[in-house]
Amino acid sequence: MTPQPAPSTTRWTPISGWGVGLLAFVAGSAVQLQQTDLWPGWVYVCGALDAVLLLWAALLWGRPGRWRTAAIALALLVLGFSLAGARASHQWAQRLSPALEGQDLTVTGWVAAMPQRTDTGLRFRFAVDAAQRTGAAGEAVQLPPNIQLGWYGGVARTDTADPAVWQLSSQPPDVRAGDRWRLTVRLKAPHGQSNPHGYDHELWLWEQGLLATGYVRAGAKDPAPERLATSWRYPVEQLRQRVRDAVFAAVAEPATAGVLAALVTGDQRAIDRADWDVFRATGVAHLMSISGLHITMFAWLAAAVVNVLWRRSAWLCLRCPAPHAAVWGGLALAAGYALFSGWGVPAQRTVCMLAVAAALQVSGRQWPAGVRWSLVMAVVVAADPWALLQPGFWLSFVAVAVLFASNSGANQSVHQRVGHRFLSVFKEQAVITVALTPLTLLLFGQVSLVGLLANLVAIPWVTLVLTPLALAGAVWAPLWGLAGMAAEALGWVLKPLASWPWATYTTAVAPLWAGALGLLGGVLLVWPWPWRWRVLGLPLVLPVVLWQAPRPAHGEFELLAADVGQGTAVLLRTARHTLVYDAGPRYSSESDAGHRVVVPLLRALGERVNTLVLSHRDVDHTGGAEAVLSQQPQALVLSSIEPNHPLRARWPMTRCEAGQRWRWDGVDFEVLHPLPGDYDTTRKSNALSCVLRVSNGLRQALLTGDIESAQEARLVASGHPLSADVLLVPHHGSKTSSTEAFIGAAAPRFALVQAGYRNRFGHPVPSVLARYESMGVPVLASPSCGAMTWRSAWPEQVTCHRATARRYWHHPAGPVGADAPP
């Protein structure tokens, strides 16, 4: 007789009391993450103890019913809040003392993770054993247990037999996980850029437990870095580094090697930026990290191997049945693979799901899918409360919930024909695509329109061909060559899809309420109900799909000075037009403010740029221009950069000259500097900065680039109106600019400074700040304010994004100028 498949238990069922309680635990953790300041640690400890007592009382004396369910939910809600707060309070107590910022310190410790090498050096996690001030006194100091260091070259030991011989090197020496070093470093508090819809780097550092960042001092006059020992500490990280290095050694094409390294070791930073753009445009980016699909496949293969090997030993089978051994063996090996790959949120979720499934299978019990889902979510949040703020967390868990709820694949059988299996996979992918589209638009502001087609090809190829070959290469290196060919073949399919003009749909990022309605609508569309009920989800999806960001009224304008570090990037918006003034700095050959800040900001606001003004050629103003123009090719470019500049070879530009005027939506724009003759007589780029004045007749803004005192004097002498409600401080607050005469002529209500936290130039310099203060002009700077927004309709206020989006893990930068290095 052919055995019949057992009834499916994956169908979503109403969540029980424990399921509600577990969701309450997650909700409590989510509420704690909204705190702007932490309470004393003992408050969280008392809250956790009270929650445990309430839970114990509800379980011991409470009768089954709504009141006991409510008591359990309340107890777990408070417990989730308190545990997250207690962990945060403990971590906050370990932060770097402000008095140690910018000081030369000698630290001894271990390289705790595989370093990330870049074109300028490398970055790595350092576990501190001991620290002291550099110098004769050597006063011991207390540092956070884990810090992030950059090493950008300096002096390094030569290959001669004499260990005292050192030479200047553009790259640091080979640094390996598990090595013990003595280093001279300079540290600062974790400080990232703060922009609307921007990446929260401070949250990432906090979640990783990195409570200080800095760099190695390896100059000719600094104490030489010293490798003290090589050990077997951090064996997983050592193995990951060896495998990653072996991949790059075996595969000639760096971009292909980066994809393989990401699939094997979870090092997503190894993937080239251009490849990431292709993966995002085609909706397959989730496959290029260690996803739940990869770990599930690995667990299945591992369980099959353990089952075969276990059955070969009668002694082992008598002590533990082969099916049970296969389940636990597969789980253990899958957990090891997840740990080896970096232990991301999808990996955590999958291992927890597999663990619950294994326990239920071995015990013979069955839990509703909703309870299993809630339990896994609670376990992940208990281990890492800040995972709740990761987009991958919600995409991962919502996708699983949607598959359960829609009953997709619940009745599949291994005996199905290939055609039926293909239709089942197509249905599952279609369900996930439809249901997650609103959530994807809410989180990223764009969704791939070719994602369904691309995933139908990529999922089986990556899961069944590319990833197994990449993993097998760790055992036999020649297989990495075949894996590289498989990765390149995938690129041949994805790149044409990504190049289609309609490959992605982009819209402004909607508010949370619209995203929540859209997600509900997406779920309704795939719910196993008659279509007359499903179509009710369509109206709920429309707000998040068609959302338009609010714009200034006719005759008004808005200025947003982005937080780009040491550089300039300003977004000016009228009722129907957009201008970008400068595009921010280039951070390295692989990263710039355009790609990291300006383009995501424009995408999140749904902007179509009409004009890009590049004030002058300096890289802190033009470093992000290529990324902006690649995403906004229709923009007219005004600039003072020279004709042979690389940017002008790719995009046509108009020279900015005093007297150029135009009017948008009742708002006037006028270029005040440079004069046409300046291009023949001036060689200094700062002196050619395009100065732009914006006015609606009542309110004005003045954007000055990097002009210096001579150009300021000429503008004042010209007699042209310079008055402005908001002034972009010339040259980031350098001592070469902001003369009293110029400040007096502009008479700004606010002065805005765009500069990097603890930048090496000391901008804005104290003497300039004192000058503005003596003339009654308040100065706001991006290190303490983040992105700064001023609106002509409300000229009396400037909104600081660092203040409006503040959470307890964000660095309180203090007043303007407080971060200046000594």
Side-chain angles (χ1 to χ4, degrees):
M1 177 182 293
T2 303
Q4 298 298 316
S8 170
T9 61
T10 59
R11 177 71 180 267
W12 188 274
T13 57
I15 297 179
S16 67
W18 274 108
V20 172
L22 293 169
L23 290 181
F25 179 90
V26 174
S29 300
V31 170
Q32 193 279 327
L33 299 184
Q34 306 308 310
Q35 287 192 288
T36 56
D37 295 289
L38 291 171
W39 298 336
W42 63 267
V43 175
Y44 299 110
V45 173
C46 291
L49 293 175
D50 291 341
V52 170
L53 290 175
L54 176 60
L55 181 62
W56 178 71
L59 294 176
L60 186 62
W61 293 307
R63 295 180 179 179
R66 294 181 179 178
W67 286 108
R68 190 171 88 158
T69 298
I72 291 174
L74 177 61
L76 291 177
L77 177 78
V78 175
L79 184 62
F81 180 94
S82 301
L83 290 180
R87 284 187 59 183
S89 180
H90 173 72
Q91 189 160 307
W92 180 258
Q94 298 175 327
R95 66 192 187 280
L96 179 69
S97 169
L100 298 178
E101 286 192 279
Q103 303 295 313
D104 282 353
L105 305 173
T106 299
V107 298
T108 303
W110 304 86
V111 179
M114 62 175 182
Q116 302 293 325
R117 189 169 290 276
T118 67
D119 58 322
T120 58
L122 54 82
R123 287 190 171 275
F124 55 94
R125 178 195 297 262
F126 195 73
V128 178
D129 279 349
Q132 61 187 41
R133 295 183 186 273
T134 301
E139 173 192 357
V141 296
Q142 186 69 36
L143 295 183
N146 291 285
I147 60 178
Q148 185 184 56
L149 293 177
W151 195 337
Y152 305 110
V155 293
R157 195 182 301 278
T158 66
D159 293 330
T160 64
D162 186 356
V165 177
W166 295 75
Q167 67 179 11
L168 190 65
S169 172
S170 60
Q171 284 285 337
D174 186 32
V175 176
R176 314 292 300 179
D179 286 355
R180 182 173 174 82
W181 283 83
R182 180 180 293 115
L183 304 169
T184 300
V185 301
R186 280 191 183 177
L187 301 178
K188 63 180 180 180
H191 188 95
Q193 295 155 356
S194 178
N195 291 287
H197 311 288
Y199 173 65
D200 192 344
H201 185 58
E202 292 178 40
L203 171 62
W204 182 85
L205 290 170
W206 174 272
E207 186 178 15
Q208 299 298 313
L210 300 171
L211 303 181
T213 64
Y215 62 94
V216 177
R217 300 273 293 174
K221 296 182 180 180
D222 297 305
E226 186 178 358
R227 193 197 310 262
L228 300 177
T230 299
S231 73
W232 280 100
R233 283 200 179 195
Y234 309 103
V236 174
E237 291 297 324
Q238 290 189 46
L239 181 59
R240 292 181 70 203
Q241 185 174 0
R242 283 200 295 270
V243 172
R244 184 193 62 182
D245 293 348
V247 170
F248 277 93
V251 180
E253 175 58 41
T256 303
V259 172
L260 300 184
L263 289 174
V264 177
T265 68
D267 183 11
Q268 297 183 42
R269 284 169 288 190
I271 297 180
D272 188 75
R273 193 171 80 180
D275 287 335
W276 270 126
D277 292 339
V278 171
F279 298 148
R280 293 189 182 103
T282 54
V284 302
H286 64 101
L287 296 174
M288 296 304 119
S289 58
I290 307 299
S291 67
L293 192 62
H294 297 151
I295 294 175
T296 302
M297 178 204 69
F298 187 88
W300 181 80
L301 291 175
V305 172
V306 171
N307 186 55
V308 171
L309 296 178
W310 200 270
R311 290 178 183 274
R312 292 179 175 272
S313 172
W315 185 85
L316 290 175
C317 290
L318 288 174
R319 279 148 183 81
C320 179
H324 291 184
V327 167
W328 293 119
L331 174 64
L333 292 172
Y337 174 44
L339 184 65
F340 176 77
S341 65
W343 198 242
V345 170
Q348 297 174 32
R349 185 260 303 166
T350 304
V351 170
C352 290
M353 280 283 193
L354 292 173
V356 171
L360 292 176
Q361 180 177 339
V362 172
S363 65
R365 298 182 180 180
Q366 293 184 354
W367 286 359
V371 175
R372 284 183 280 157
W373 181 81
S374 304
L375 175 61
V376 172
M377 180 182 285
V379 169
V380 172
V381 170
D384 181 9
W386 305 283
L388 281 165
L389 299 175
Q390 294 183 19
F393 177 91
W394 296 104
L395 290 172
S396 178
F397 277 99
V398 170
V400 172
V402 166
L403 288 177
F404 282 160
S406 64
N407 204 26
S408 295
N411 297 316
Q412 291 182 19
S413 168
V414 296
H415 304 293
Q416 284 181 323
R417 294 182 179 179
V418 174
H420 291 166
R421 289 289 297 169
F422 178 81
L423 290 176
S424 297
V425 171
F426 179 83
K427 178 186 176 183
E428 289 181 13
Q429 191 58 42
V431 164
I432 292 176
T433 299
V434 171
L436 292 189
T437 290
L439 182 59
T440 303
L441 288 173
L442 176 67
L443 295 172
F444 304 111
Q446 70 174 18
V447 65
S448 174
L449 299 181
V450 298
L452 179 58
L453 176 60
N455 275 281
L456 285 176
V457 175
I459 287 178
W461 187 255
V462 173
T463 305
L464 302 177
V465 179
L466 179 54
T467 301
L469 285 174
L471 291 173
V475 179
W476 192 45
L479 290 177
W480 277 326
L482 293 177
M485 295 171 61
E488 292 171 358
L490 180 64
W492 297 337
V493 176
L494 297 181
K495 288 178 181 178
L497 292 176
S499 65
W500 290 355
W502 42 267
T504 59
Y505 172 74
T506 302
T507 187
V509 174
L512 183 59
W513 64 265
L517 284 179
L519 179 59
L520 177 60
V523 173
L524 283 177
L525 287 172
V526 300
W527 198 271
W529 283 349
W531 273 105
R532 65 178 180 273
W533 297 109
R534 294 194 197 190
V535 295
L536 296 177
L538 285 176
L540 300 179
V541 171
L542 292 180
V544 71
V545 173
L546 303 178
W547 182 259
Q548 297 293 317
R551 299 191 68 90
H554 184 83
E556 303 291 350
F557 66 98
E558 174 187 283
L559 181 150
L560 189 156
D563 185 2
V564 294
Q566 187 63 26
T568 298
V570 178
L571 177 63
L572 277 161
R573 305 166 71 224
T574 65
R576 293 179 299 171
H577 293 81
T578 300
L579 179 144
V580 174
Y581 183 88
D582 283 336
R586 176 178 290 118
Y587 307 121
S588 69
S589 63
E590 303 169 347
S591 177
D592 58 72
H595 191 267
R596 282 174 46 180
V597 178
V598 182
V599 168
L601 179 60
L602 294 172
R603 183 181 292 126
L605 296 176
E607 296 296 332
R608 186 177 188 274
V609 177
N610 301 96
T611 300
L612 170 64
V613 177
L614 299 176
S615 62
H616 60 298
R617 69 168 182 256
D618 288 2
V619 73
D620 57 331
H621 296 252
T622 62
E626 183 174 353
V628 173
L629 289 171
S630 296
Q631 200 253 348
Q632 302 278 349
Q634 77 289 337
L636 170 71
V637 184
L638 283 178
S639 178
S640 66
I641 62 178
E642 62 275 13
N644 60 349
H645 193 281
L647 285 174
R648 300 198 69 161
R650 295 189 58 186
W651 288 279
M653 298 185 184
T654 301
R655 197 164 71 175
C656 64
E657 295 178 351
Q660 292 170 327
R661 296 182 178 87
W662 65 94
R663 186 177 180 86
W664 286 343
D665 311 318
V667 179
D668 295 312
F669 294 75
E670 182 178 5
V671 177
L672 305 183
H673 180 81
L675 296 172
D678 292 339
Y679 288 95
D680 300 323
T681 60
T682 303
R683 293 292 178 266
K684 192 173 182 180
S685 61
N686 288 353
L688 290 175
S689 293
C690 304
V691 177
L692 181 67
R693 188 170 187 262
V694 186
S695 173
N696 65 357
L698 296 175
R699 306 299 175 194
Q700 302 83 27
L702 188 60
L703 310 181
T704 58
D706 281 355
I707 61 171
E708 299 180 348
S709 56
Q711 291 76 49
E712 292 178 354
R714 194 168 72 179
L715 285 171
V716 172
S718 69
H720 194 286
L722 298 177
S723 60
D725 291 87
V726 60
L727 168 69
L728 188 65
V729 172
H731 202 180
H732 316 287
S734 166
K735 63 183 179 181
T736 62
S737 308
S738 295
T739 61
E740 288 188 8
F742 181 76
I743 298 173
R749 189 189 300 262
F750 297 103
L752 309 183
V753 178
Q754 289 182 293
Y757 178 68
R758 298 192 63 84
N759 65 85
R760 62 191 178 95
F761 307 103
H763 295 161
V765 299
S767 60
V768 170
L769 292 175
R771 194 175 303 144
Y772 279 97
E773 182 180 0
S774 68
M775 302 183 73
V777 180
V779 178
L780 296 96
S782 52
S784 57
C785 198
M788 300 166 283
T789 302
W790 177 88
R791 298 174 176 88
S792 62
W794 295 280
E796 298 85 6
Q797 63 181 19
V798 173
T799 302
C800 291
H801 186 261
R802 188 168 284 274
T804 58
R806 174 170 162 71
R807 295 293 182 269
Y808 59 80
W809 56 82
H810 289 146
H811 174 228
V816 177
D819 62 309

